[in-house]
Amino acid sequence: MNDPIFAVRAVHFAATAMTVGVMAFLVLVAGPAFRAAGADLAASEYRRRAVRIAAIGLAAAVVSGAAWVMLEAAKMSGRPLRDAIAEGVLRTVLTRTTFGLASDIRLVLAVLLGVSLSYFGSRLWARWAAPLLAAGLLGALAWTGHAAATERLAGHLHVVADALHLLAAGTWLGSLVALAMLLATARRRADRTWDHIARIATLRFSTLGIVGVLILLGTGTVNTWMLAGSLPALLGTDYGRLLLIKIALFGAMLSVAAVNRLRLTPRLSQPLSGAPGNARRQLIRNSALEIGLGLIIFVIVGALGTLPPALHTQPNWPLPFRVSAEIFDHPELGPRVLTAIGMTALGMALAVSGLFWRKLRWVMILGGAAVVAYFGRGLGDMLTEAYPTSFYASPTGYTTASIARGRHLFAQHCSSCHGPTGRGDGPAAVPARVKPSDLVSGHIYAHTVGDLYWWITQGIGGAMPGFARVIDEDSVWNLIDFLYANIDGTRLGAFAGTARRIAYPAPSFSLRCPDGAALASDALRGRVIHVVVSGANGTEQIARLSERARAADVVTILVAQDAAPPPDPAFCVADDANLAQVLAIYRGRDQIEGTELLIDQAGALRALWHPGVRSPRWTDPESFRREVETMRRTPAVQRSATHLHR
Amino acid sequence: MRSLGAVALLAMLVLGSIGAHAHSVFLRASPGVGSTVRTPPREVVLWFNQKLEPSFSTVAVTDAGGGRVDAGGVRVDGNVMRVSLRPIGAGTYGVTWRALSVDTHTTQGAFHFHVRP
């Protein structure tokens, strides 16, 4: 917030918006209003003053824009402002970055706009060119912000939404300045022609306003989705909360605009003496109020652009509860919650329709309220306890290094109570008042990673101490990765040899392929991956690997157990010492010779096999191919506490 | 207005499935963060969730003594940043990176990897 870019951005956005809005108002509102009243806009004093305001806005936009580029150059290069300007950084920014190129284009537009403004009164082309150039100047701001960095189709949509949003906001706010000026002039002149102009201009302005508001609502929704994207992000981050304040201010502006449109504008055309004059005075005052609210919004916009979007910071959930998505899969509670939602909605609909039906009004309202009161209680089942960290996301990327480190930390800090494999049977568990949680029983799947983070760092009542002072933040995430690998392993092991319909996330590991390329396993998405640890009967297993890979169309990755070179240069080799440790977690033992894994096209771990499994025998190419085919055909669902037994 | 609504609806549906981002977030690296590899890598590769500005994005790789082991000249291609390494042996190496996203935001970070033949 103490970033000077924030202030410069606010000034630049407001100044550019004013220029665009005044131009739009002259062309779309004032021009037709003057014509309808039989007056000539081009020759009027009002036109001269409005163009002067637009020119001042443009000058302010150019100066603040230049300051913004220089500050940005310093920030991008991480150097002090003076060095950044002196040492060619500015040139690199202007010629080599998206922000710089957008700024170049905008400077050209600004110069052309300046020329058009100076000919605005005398040349027809200037009257067309100026508003278009102004719109370009404002819309192109979309390329300087968060939207420019969004990828692919979403990126194009985001840029379009952002540009439209800027144009609608600028047109609305800037036009308000021009409208207030026009109404003030009308009050001063106090003649029939100006009364007429003021009335038509106000009417046309409200149409412009409604279109603008609709565009703002639509594009604002898209932008919010792109940059915040979820309720936790909106409620739990600085970015999200600032965005909510901005939306609330927009709501306030909208209410003022509604008063203008619904109460004051009709009174402008009432022939009763005094009414139009009063209405006009109030309209001027309300416009000033809206402009004030709009300026606060620009300050917020200035700040928002300098903050990381809500999607990229850990949200601190402010409520003690959250809606549980799990509940809808629950065999008993699921239908009950759905009934409660349906009946509550029905009850509310009944009560609301009562308002419009005089005869049965009270019967319907009371009946509706009774239905809501009776079924509404069932909605409570939908909620589950939540903590400030409930919606944290793990930063580890679920790598083998993280899981292996978590395994080590678990042995060190957790196994004395939870047991070496997490079954809640450690030596310290016997005397404990509260039995330590069984970490492979499946309830882990019912919680968010953020819930686990909270319990590990803060502890659970009198049952478990918090470890926030014992281990650092990274270690907590490593532990959580281990907990998942550990429980996933018990599930995969119990159904060894068979592809599951549940998607266990595959850990990310590094590998090297025969062409020498270093890869992360995630780069193989789209192919089925077959991970193989060469076994005691290694030669036989390896000998048929090529045949199996061909039969089932899979990418085979050999796990190098020791420093020996890969037995067959035709396969990729997992050059990752941590992978063996993760496989040991899955197997629940350190001897992992002959273990095989299948990872599906979507990157989900679906099946584990080891030489102890007699049927199906994956070493037989035909059985193996059948298993892979079954896996390819059956889609997998997210793992959850309620469908453990599929 | 109807078509605008349709576009907005379409946008919501598309965006919902794509999962939008607007900041260069570090996704993963090769060699991985904290990982142990057996063969000394010839380059370090970093993946981000979106486009980077080549001009101001940097990576430095150092050995345990703090000496540079990268060959300099970071190559940026879209959302991938890579740097070649000089021949290295067993040991622990530090990677320090700074990424400038096209939305002008800078992110930075550091991690280690180990080479243990």
Side-chain angles (χ1 to χ4, degrees):
Chain A
M1 278 296 228
N2 24 20
D3 192 345
I5 288 179
F6 137 68
V8 170
R9 269 174 55 101
V11 172
H12 185 76
F13 274 66
T16 314
M18 189 168 78
T19 310
V20 173
V22 170
M23 289 289 97
F25 188 86
L26 283 177
V27 173
L28 300 172
V29 178
F34 271 70
R35 265 198 302 283
D40 181 13
L41 173 66
S44 75
E45 170 64 19
Y46 170 75
R47 194 272 307 156
R48 263 192 294 281
R49 287 196 6 244
V51 170
R52 201 179 316 138
I53 291 286
I56 292 171
L58 178 63
V62 170
V63 172
S64 56
W68 183 13
V69 169
M70 285 184 235
L71 290 169
E72 204 67 75
K75 205 178 86 181
M76 283 179 175
S77 60
R79 313 259 279 281
L81 184 59
R82 188 189 307 231
D83 296 1
I85 295 166
E87 290 171 25
V89 171
L90 198 55
R91 182 200 296 213
T92 313
V93 169
L94 288 175
T95 56
R96 295 278 178 78
T97 66
T98 307
F99 173 80
L101 293 174
S103 302
D104 298 340
I105 292 169
R106 296 186 63 241
L107 181 62
V108 172
L109 292 174
V111 170
L112 294 176
L113 177 57
V115 173
S116 308
L117 283 180
S118 64
Y119 285 102
F120 195 81
S122 53
R123 296 279 197 281
L124 184 64
W125 62 261
R127 252 164 270 165
W128 285 104
L132 293 176
L133 289 165
L137 186 65
L138 183 59
L141 271 173
W143 273 278
T144 66
H146 294 315
T150 313
E151 291 258 298
R152 291 186 292 266
L153 174 63
H156 296 304
L157 274 170
H158 195 183
V159 168
V160 170
D162 214 16
L164 277 174
H165 196 79
L166 284 161
L167 283 176
T171 303
W172 186 20
L173 281 168
S175 291
L176 277 166
V177 176
L179 176 72
M181 276 170 59
L182 185 132
L183 292 173
T185 310
R187 200 173 68 179
R188 226 180 23 253
R189 296 290 184 83
D191 59 30
R192 285 181 59 87
T193 315
W194 271 96
D195 278 354
H196 195 171
I197 292 174
R199 195 168 65 242
I200 300 202
T202 311
L203 276 171
R204 288 191 68 98
F205 173 77
S206 46
T207 312
L208 188 69
I210 288 168
V211 173
V213 164
L214 287 174
I215 293 177
L216 284 174
L217 280 174
T219 55
T221 311
V222 171
N223 286 352
T224 305
W225 187 268
M226 301 293 284
L227 294 172
S230 71
L231 198 57
L234 266 183
L235 296 178
T237 63
D238 288 345
Y239 189 96
R241 289 173 194 155
L242 220 54
L243 197 57
L244 287 177
I245 296 176
K246 185 185 165 205
I247 293 168
L249 286 169
F250 173 72
M253 285 183 69
L254 217 53
S255 324
V256 178
V259 172
N260 289 353
R261 178 71 189 89
L262 302 173
R263 295 236 348 249
L264 301 177
T265 306
R267 273 164 55 193
L268 281 181
S269 22
Q270 278 166 14
L272 280 169
S273 66
N278 280 334
R280 199 181 298 151
R281 210 167 29 250
Q282 285 182 39
L283 271 174
I284 296 174
R285 211 177 38 225
N286 284 355
S287 300
L289 180 62
E290 280 182 76
I291 292 167
L293 290 169
L295 286 178
I296 303 176
I297 289 187
F298 277 118
V299 172
I300 294 180
V301 169
L304 283 177
T306 63
L307 289 175
L311 268 177
H312 305 308
T313 41
Q314 298 280 32
N316 285 305
W317 181 245
L319 304 174
F321 54 83
R322 64 180 168 91
V323 173
S324 156
E326 290 275 318
I327 201 75
F328 297 102
D329 293 327
H330 196 282
E332 292 155 39
L333 290 177
R336 210 153 81 198
V337 166
L338 284 176
T339 313
I341 294 174
M343 293 308 287
T344 308
L346 211 67
M348 283 162 88
L350 192 69
V352 170
S353 16
L355 293 173
F356 300 97
W357 198 350
R358 191 167 298 175
K359 226 181 195 170
L360 290 174
R361 177 172 294 172
W362 291 109
V363 178
M364 286 171 80
I365 290 180
L366 289 175
V371 172
V372 170
Y374 181 77
F375 287 98
R377 288 172 311 162
L379 292 177
D381 290 336
M382 214 164 54
L383 303 178
T384 174
E385 207 172 334
Y387 312 94
T389 63
S390 278
F391 291 96
Y392 274 25
S394 171
T396 63
Y398 203 53
T399 56
T400 48
S402 172
I403 299 169
R405 186 153 182 268
R407 184 195 196 200
H408 178 70
L409 288 160
F410 188 86
Q412 211 179 332
H413 298 286
C414 317
S415 60
S416 62
C417 292
H418 287 287
T421 54
R423 287 184 163 73
D425 54 359
V430 184
R433 224 164 9 90
V434 185
K435 198 174 159 10
S437 173
D438 178 357
L439 299 173
V440 295
S441 74
H443 71 92
I444 288 217
Y445 292 140
H447 307 296
T448 65
V449 289
D451 289 341
L452 300 179
Y453 183 91
W454 182 261
W455 289 323
I456 294 172
T457 52
Q458 309 300 316
I460 303 175
M464 176 174 136
F467 287 83
R469 300 233 181 98
V470 186
I471 54 177
D472 64 10
E473 199 179 310
D474 285 341
S475 303
V476 178
W477 290 118
N478 297 149
L479 263 176
I480 291 170
D481 282 349
F482 165 76
L483 291 181
Y484 280 109
N486 190 45
I487 183 172
D488 289 354
T490 61
R491 301 298 187 271
L492 286 161
F495 295 86
T498 330
R500 313 262 358 240
R501 284 163 56 195
I502 296 165
Y504 299 103
S508 166
F509 54 92
S510 40
L511 56 128
R512 290 192 317 125
C513 286
D515 58 4
L519 284 178
S521 57
D522 320 66
L524 293 171
R525 287 285 153 81
R527 300 287 311 271
V528 170
I529 303 177
H530 182 206
V531 178
V532 180
V533 186
S534 56
N537 56 348
T539 28
E540 185 217 355
Q541 190 188 18
I542 302 296
R544 306 199 72 179
L545 269 183
S546 301
E547 199 185 330
R548 288 162 67 193
R550 262 197 312 279
D553 185 27
V554 297
V555 180
T556 307
I557 298 174
L558 285 177
V559 180
Q561 272 257 69
D562 45 42
D568 189 330
F571 300 116
C572 300
V573 175
D575 183 25
D576 184 325
N578 306 119
L579 183 56
Q581 296 178 56
V582 174
L583 286 163
I585 297 169
Y586 286 145
R587 290 295 311 277
R589 51 190 267 185
D590 282 327
Q591 292 73 44
I592 56 167
E593 291 77 15
T595 305
E596 303 186 7
L597 299 178
L598 273 177
I599 298 170
D600 73 9
Q601 312 90 294
L605 180 52
R606 299 281 296 277
L608 175 151
W609 183 89
H610 55 84
V613 180
R614 297 273 166 248
S615 169
R617 281 205 76 83
W618 282 15
T619 40
D620 166 46
E622 181 51 27
S623 312
F624 180 67
R625 188 196 60 78
R626 269 203 307 273
E627 205 52 49
V628 173
E629 277 318 304
T630 315
M631 183 183 81
R632 274 211 179 89
R633 271 202 318 273
T634 40
V637 296
Q638 289 290 312
R639 56 187 180 188
S640 81
T642 42
H643 27 68
L644 288 177
H645 306 294
R646 254 186 238 189
Chain B
M1 273 313 98
R2 199 143 103 211
S3 60
L4 186 77
V7 169
L9 187 70
L10 181 77
M12 299 292 292
L13 291 175
V14 172
L15 308 184
S17 56
I18 292 174
H21 298 279
H23 213 56
S24 62
V25 171
F26 169 72
L27 294 180
R28 59 179 173 269
S30 167
V33 173
S35 70
T36 305
V37 292
R38 296 172 197 282
T39 335
R42 277 173 288 180
E43 63 174 2
V44 171
V45 190
L46 292 94
W47 283 270
F48 292 83
N49 72 335
Q50 58 173 233
K51 291 177 276 187
L52 302 173
E53 290 287 6
S55 301
F56 296 104
S57 301
T58 54
V59 190
V61 186
T62 49
D63 59 22
R68 290 282 286 264
V69 295
D70 61 85
V74 176
R75 302 183 304 286
V76 173
D77 179 17
N79 61 340
V80 184
M81 185 150 78
R82 53 181 83 221
V83 66
S84 301
L85 299 182
R86 305 204 191 110
I88 55 173
T92 295
Y93 296 89
V95 180
T96 315
W97 56 266
R98 183 178 188 277
L100 177 66
S101 149
V102 297
D103 64 5
T104 76
H105 287 268
T106 312
T107 40
Q108 46 201 353
F111 64 88
H112 287 90
F113 67 86
H114 315 275
V115 178
R116 202 179 300 142

